[in-house]
Amino acid sequence: MVPLEPANWLLKNASFVKETFHDAGEAAAWFGKQIADYADRFDGFHAKDPGTVQAQVDSARETVEQGRDVVGGWCINGGAPPSTRCI
């Protein structure tokens, strides 16, 4: 289902947009901040490992530089799973 998420996201009202970036590095840093906000609640050590998080941020930067969308979603302990997108 992940490929549908960016398309569905684009159908939302513009007020849902949190940030706009013209630089892939800035977009990736924002993506990393979104991950960091929930990392302590991630289910499993691997997902919250700083090396894993940095690898996700690096991958997001490379993906955005290529003009592609990034969608992240994580299992957490308690509550609805968070997800974030760079479109």
Side-chain angles (χ1 to χ4, degrees), residues 25-83:
E26 291 176 3
W30 175 86
F31 188 74
K33 167 93 171 69
Q34 305 310 300
I35 296 171
D37 286 348
Y38 290 98
D40 63 327
R41 294 176 51 203
F42 287 169
D43 187 22
F45 172 77
H46 178 72
K48 45 181 131 174
D49 174 64
T52 300
V53 172
Q54 187 59 53
Q56 291 174 324
V57 171
D58 293 344
S59 177
R61 180 186 41 76
E62 292 172 12
T63 301
V64 170
E65 284 175 344
Q66 296 168 4
R68 299 182 347 219
D69 302 325
V70 175
V71 177
W74 300 269
C75 293
I76 62 171
N77 295 317
S83 63

